[in-house]
């Protein structure tokens, strides 16, 4: 049996179309400010996509590029100005920042009502306490991908591999909110397979190829691959041994074309919410 593919490109296109329809009904278009410090090539590509996504749905985007020499104080000053700007509903600072700038201080400087990445301590606390707030875009997108399978997490066993503040931990909390029984695994987990083999839902968010192989997967499980790695040919691949795991799993996300486009789509959803509207 071969797993059904969960098509992140198609779902993201559908969400973008819904956001665009909603934006048309608003008197003022939602505005997203994107700040890029330095010239990291990958960051430049991400930022370009985020700006294009905004424009594609009729939102305003404000791209600020600063040299890597920008001081932390000056960056905090720019964030204060954007916090005070009523035409800016969401603020995103592209990571990583140059070493002399403390990313935590920068994230905490963003007005929590404009924290569309959902990275601040307050946003994280809101998620933990089941309060309304911005959910980090990647795990939020994974939940939407899971929804399309029709597999209700209630009463299911879910394993999240990776415990970062931006992906693994919020992913585990969202699955918990959806009434799954959740195990959160990490680099110190001995024999990862003994946990993943019990899981109806596995989310891999590690950043290492082949962390999840076919012998570690319960037949019929939903497998969501967040990882972004390069294979020996230099092509983008995930954390999951896709070709072999797809023979065992019930549903699986490809890389590329799975979680990546959904992360971008959920940024638009969060920006829409920041402007006081929802889907
Ligand atoms: P991260 O901060 O480096 O966290 C990686 C996590 O994986 C850590 O918790 C680490 O455990 C755990 N880990 C490392 N080796 C492991 C192993 N052998 N077995 C089990 N767990 C292991 O990375 P991240 O920011 O969460 O991102 C994870 C991956 O997702 C990366 O490839 C990243 O590029 C990708 N990503 C993709 C998107 C997207 O839109 N597609 C968005 C965000 C991230 P410890 O905590 O013990 O060190």
């Amino acid at each position: 049996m071969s797993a059904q593919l969960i098509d992140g490109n198609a779902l993201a296109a559908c969400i973008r179309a819904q956001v665009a329809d909603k934006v048309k009904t608003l008197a003022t278009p939602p505005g997203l400010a994107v700040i890029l410090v330095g010239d990291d090539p990958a960051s430049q590509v991400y930022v370009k996509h985020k700006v294009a996504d905004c424009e594609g749905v009729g939102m305003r985007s404000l791209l600020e590029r600063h040299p890597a020499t920008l001081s932390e104080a000056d960056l905090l000053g720019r964030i204060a100005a954007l916090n005070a700007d009523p035409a800016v509903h969401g603020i995103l600072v592209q990571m990583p920042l140059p070493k002399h700038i403390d990313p935590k201080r920068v994230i905490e400087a963003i007005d929590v009502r404009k924290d569309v990445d959902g990275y601040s301590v307050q946003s994280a606390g809101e998620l933990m306490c089941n309060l309304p707030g911005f959910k980090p875009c990647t795990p939020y997108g994974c939940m939407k991908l899971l929804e399309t399978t029709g597999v209700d997490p209630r009463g299911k066993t879910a394993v999240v591999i990776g415990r970062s503040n931006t992906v693994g931990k919020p992913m585990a909390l969202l699955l918990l909110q959806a009434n799954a029984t959740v195990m959160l695994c990490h680099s110190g987990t001995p024999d990862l397979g003994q946990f993943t083999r019990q899981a109806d839902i596995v989310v891999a968010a590690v950043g290492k190829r082949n962390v999840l192989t076919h012998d570690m997967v319960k037949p019929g499980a939903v497998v969501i691959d967040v990882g972004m790695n390069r294979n020996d040919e230099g092509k983008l691949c995930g954390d999951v041994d896709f070709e072999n795991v797809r023979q065992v799993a019930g549903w699986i996300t490809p890389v590329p074309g799975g979680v990546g486009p959904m992360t971008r789509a959920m940024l638009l959803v969060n920006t829409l919410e920041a402007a006081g509207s929802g889907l």
Side-chain angles (χ1 to χ4, degrees), residues 46 119 137-139 142 160-169 184-189 192 204-209 211 216 225-229 236-239 255 258-264:
Y46 294 146
Y119 287 174
C137 301
T138 300
C142 291
V160 178
I161 317 171
R163 58 174 164 182
S164 68
N165 289 340
T166 51
V167 188
K169 278 183 208 157
L184 185 50
C185 300
H186 47 80
S187 66
T189 302
L192 190 57
V206 174
K208 288 182 185 160
R209 285 162 60 191
V211 157
M216 297 165 76
D225 192 351
V226 180
M228 284 197 315
N229 311 294
L236 193 62
C237 67
D239 291 343
V255 179
V259 174
M262 285 302 294
T263 297
R264 285 166 52 187

Side-chain angles (χ1 to χ4, degrees), residues 203-262:
V203 181
V206 174
K208 288 182 185 160
R209 285 162 60 191
N210 299 331
V211 157
L212 191 76
T213 51
H214 71 284
D215 53 313
M216 297 165 76
V217 175
K218 180 175 173 178
V222 180
V223 175
I224 297 182
D225 192 351
V226 180
M228 284 197 315
N229 311 294
R230 296 277 164 193
N231 67 15
D232 293 337
E233 289 82 50
K235 281 195 183 153
L236 193 62
C237 67
D239 291 343
V240 175
D241 176 10
F242 181 81
E243 284 310 327
N244 293 311
V245 169
R246 73 184 300 187
Q247 305 305 323
V248 184
W251 289 268
I252 191 166
T253 59
V255 179
V259 174
M262 285 302 294

Side-chain angles (χ1 to χ4, degrees), residues 14 17 82 85 110 146 154 226 261:
C14 181
L82 294 167
D85 185 343
I110 298 171
L146 177 59
R154 176 179 292 272
V226 180

Side-chain angles (χ1 to χ4, degrees), residues 120-190:
S120 68
V121 170
Q122 186 171 329
S123 296
E126 285 163 349
L127 176 60
M128 202 183 92
C129 298
N130 292 356
L131 293 169
F134 294 113
K135 303 173 188 71
C137 301
T138 300
Y140 194 8
C142 291
M143 291 305 287
K144 295 285 175 195
L145 289 164
L146 177 59
E147 251 175 62
T148 66
T149 66
V151 173
D152 181 356
R154 176 179 292 272
K156 303 287 192 308
T157 300
V159 165
V160 178
I161 317 171
R163 58 174 164 182
S164 68
N165 289 340
T166 51
V167 188
K169 278 183 208 157
M171 186 72 236
L173 288 169
L174 288 170
L175 286 162
L176 193 62
Q177 265 182 17
N179 296 307
T181 300
V182 182
M183 290 183 266
L184 185 50
C185 300
H186 47 80
S187 66
T189 302

